């Protein structure tokens, strides 16, 4: 059984890694003191809607977006929270010659200028039926590790869970893929895992032990809760505090990061369960009332079962309109998030393929 060793700190925090409507810059900035107050130590920026991280990764961000990334890096550093970017060089492993390597080196150099302490290299939701897939991805990750020896580096495999949906969308996984990655990727690199499925209802210690044994190292948990960007999950808002996670996970992991909902403030009740699991009751009811407002939290508690079980499709149009008006009447950005969701402003992004 693989267990965590070494002196690297356990990372515990959040990921903005979803499809669809991204967070505003103001929301991202606001999360720095929130995470610090909660005792969470990590924030990874990798929204699928940022084209300069994914399809246009070879290009530089326009000036405004680059300035915003610089602001985020400084804000999280000031709050004592490790912040970083998740780069998704789309299908780079299909052709990684001298030209592509130089393009990657240039991009990594730009990211290095942010001064962020972490960087993730993400190969999720890309074609996977490629010869020597693990070897090619490990070569890319190894190059970045050599270029950034002081940076905490992470990588997400193309096949990041046991879920058969990944092979249905991205092709048959090459034989021995996970073991090969575990052998070739530098030992200091964290490897993401989402559990037995892409969006795992429960995660137990034996589930992580199985992944660790196949990978030959402890994994880092990319927890797809409370994320709600998929065809099914965009129908719901999840506010139950991180259910179904074993209290015995920490010795088996290098970190636990939760992929958030498209609604940033309304995600806070859900991730209060993350703090309870590893830190304590730092996002208590009192703390949530302070962050969200007493009226909003009361309504969210009242409607939690409705939003998590019936969802938008289970609400009659009149009931949806009435609820939207009720939430819209409350002050604050969090209430507006719920009202907008009820009005259909967070429509499903068909580019999300793994629901």
């Amino acid at each position: 059984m693989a267990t965590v060793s070494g002196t690297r700190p356990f990372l515990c925090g959040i990921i903005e890694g979803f499809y669809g409507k991204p967070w505003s810059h103001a929301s991202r900035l606001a999360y720095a003191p929130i995470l610090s107050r909660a005792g969470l130590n990590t924030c990874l920026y990798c929204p699928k809607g940022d084209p300069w991280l994914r399809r246009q990764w070879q290009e530089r961000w326009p000036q405004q977006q680059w300035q915003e990334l610089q602001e985020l890096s400084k804000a999280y550093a000031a709050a004592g929270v490790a912040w970083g970017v998740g780069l998704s060089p789309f299908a780079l492993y299909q052709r990684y010659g001298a030209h592509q390597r130089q393009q990657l080196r240039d991009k990594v150099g730009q990211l290095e200028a942010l001064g962020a302490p972490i960087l993730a290299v993400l190969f999720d939701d890309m074609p996977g039926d490629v010869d020597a897939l693990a070897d090619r991805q490990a070569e890319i990750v190894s190059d970045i590790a050599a270029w950034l020896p002081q940076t905490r580096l992470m990588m997400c495999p193309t096949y990041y869970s046991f879920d058969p949906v990944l092979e249905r969308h991205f092709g048959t996984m090459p034989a021995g893929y996970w073991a090969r990655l575990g052998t070739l990727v530098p030992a200091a690199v964290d490897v993401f895992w989402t559990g037995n499925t892409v969006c795992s209802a429960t995660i137990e210690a034996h589930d992580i032990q199985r992944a660790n044994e196949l990978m030959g190292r402890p994994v880092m948990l990319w927890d797809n809760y409370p994320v709600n960007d998929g065809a099914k999950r965009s129908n719901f808002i999840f506010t139950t505090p991180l259910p179904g996670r074993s209290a015995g996970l920490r010795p088996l992991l290098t970190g636990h990061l939760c992929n958030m909902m498209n609604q940033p403030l309304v995600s806070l009740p859900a991730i209060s369960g993350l703090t309870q699991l590893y830190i304590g009751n730092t996002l208590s009811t009192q703390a949530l009332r302070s962050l969200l407002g007493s009226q909003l939290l009361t309504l969210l508690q009242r409607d939690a079962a409705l939003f998590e079980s019936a969802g938008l499709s289970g609400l009659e149009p009149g009931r949806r309109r009435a609820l939207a008006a009720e939430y819209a009447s409350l002050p604050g950005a969090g209430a507006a998030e719920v009202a907008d969701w009820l009005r259909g402003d967070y429509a499903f992004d068909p580019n999300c393929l793994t629901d």
Side-chain angles (χ1 to χ4, degrees):
M1 178 181 69
T3 56
V4 177
S5 61
T7 58
R8 288 182 298 163
F10 183 86
L11 299 186
C12 192
I14 68 163
I15 305 170
E16 183 189 348
F18 45 76
Y19 290 86
K21 187 176 180 178
W23 288 3
S24 68
H25 183 56
S27 294
R28 293 169 183 143
L29 286 172
Y31 251 81
I34 291 173
L35 294 179
S36 180
R37 172 179 175 178
L40 297 170
N41 63 10
T42 307
C43 178
L44 184 62
Y45 167 87
C46 51
K48 294 295 194 292
D50 185 335
W52 301 283
L53 285 177
R54 195 164 173 85
R55 291 284 185 173
Q56 298 168 230
W57 68 268
Q58 303 95 331
E59 302 175 19
R60 289 182 172 267
W61 282 273
Q63 186 63 26
Q64 179 181 343
Q65 285 81 359
W66 178 245
Q67 288 177 348
E68 290 178 352
L69 292 180
Q70 291 175 311
E71 289 176 19
L72 289 172
S73 183
K74 291 175 183 177
Y76 280 85
V81 177
W83 179 86
V85 169
L87 177 65
S88 299
F90 194 83
L92 175 62
Y93 48 81
Q94 291 182 338
R95 185 176 181 182
Y96 188 55
H99 175 66
Q100 292 79 14
R101 189 173 186 268
Q102 185 58 52
Q103 287 181 312
L104 181 64
R105 182 67 184 92
D106 292 343
K107 186 72 171 193
V108 168
Q110 185 187 19
L111 291 171
E112 185 179 15
L114 288 173
I118 58 177
L119 173 65
V121 187
L122 309 176
F123 299 116
D124 57 307
D125 299 358
M126 301 181 193
D129 50 350
V130 175
D131 289 340
L133 179 66
D135 296 60
R136 296 183 184 189
Q137 291 179 344
E139 180 183 3
I140 292 167
V141 173
S142 297
D143 279 345
I144 296 174
W147 297 332
L148 299 178
Q150 302 305 315
T151 300
R152 178 87 177 249
L153 191 60
M154 310 164 184
M155 69 93 65
C156 184
T158 300
Y159 302 93
Y160 46 81
S161 86
F162 298 119
D163 199 328
V165 72
L166 296 175
E167 290 192 290
R168 289 202 297 271
H169 283 299
F170 307 115
T172 302
M173 181 176 66
Y177 173 70
W178 290 318
R180 192 73 177 153
L181 273 184
T183 298
L184 296 176
V185 170
V189 175
D190 298 296
V191 178
F192 279 123
W193 189 258
T194 67
N196 291 338
T197 59
V198 172
C199 297
S200 297
T202 62
I203 302 176
E204 303 290 340
H206 60 82
D207 301 324
I208 299 300
Q209 288 170 358
R210 182 183 172 201
N212 288 351
E213 288 164 0
L214 287 170
M215 203 73 67
R217 67 177 70 203
V219 295
M220 175 173 285
L221 189 57
W222 174 308
D223 197 330
N224 276 321
Y225 183 89
V227 70
N228 64 343
D229 60 348
K232 298 176 183 176
R233 294 178 69 87
S234 59
N235 190 52
F236 306 102
I237 277 180
F238 300 99
T239 55
T240 298
L242 192 61
R245 274 47 178 169
S246 168
L249 295 178
R250 180 163 184 159
L252 304 170
L253 297 167
T254 62
H256 187 158
L257 307 181
C258 282
N259 194 12
M260 304 292 272
M261 292 193 292
N262 295 80
Q263 301 81 20
L265 287 173
V266 182
S267 296
L268 288 171
I271 65 161
S272 68
L274 184 67
T275 68
Q276 292 167 16
L277 194 61
Y278 297 107
I279 299 160
N281 195 25
T282 54
L283 283 177
S284 62
T285 298
Q286 181 179 356
L288 290 172
R289 288 189 186 281
S290 173
L291 291 165
L292 297 174
S294 180
Q295 291 175 291
L296 174 57
L297 186 61
T298 297
L299 287 190
L300 286 174
Q301 290 170 338
R302 182 197 72 185
D303 296 330
L306 184 67
F307 290 169
E308 293 187 16
S309 57
L312 292 176
S313 63
L315 291 170
E316 293 294 330
R319 181 75 191 282
R320 280 181 62 176
R321 288 193 295 270
L323 284 168
E326 186 176 16
Y327 278 93
S329 71
L330 300 182
E337 291 172 7
V338 183
D340 289 346
W341 171 74
L342 286 161
R343 295 179 183 128
D345 289 353
Y346 290 91
F348 164 62
D349 182 350
N351 290 318
C352 183
L353 299 175
T354 56
D355 201 352

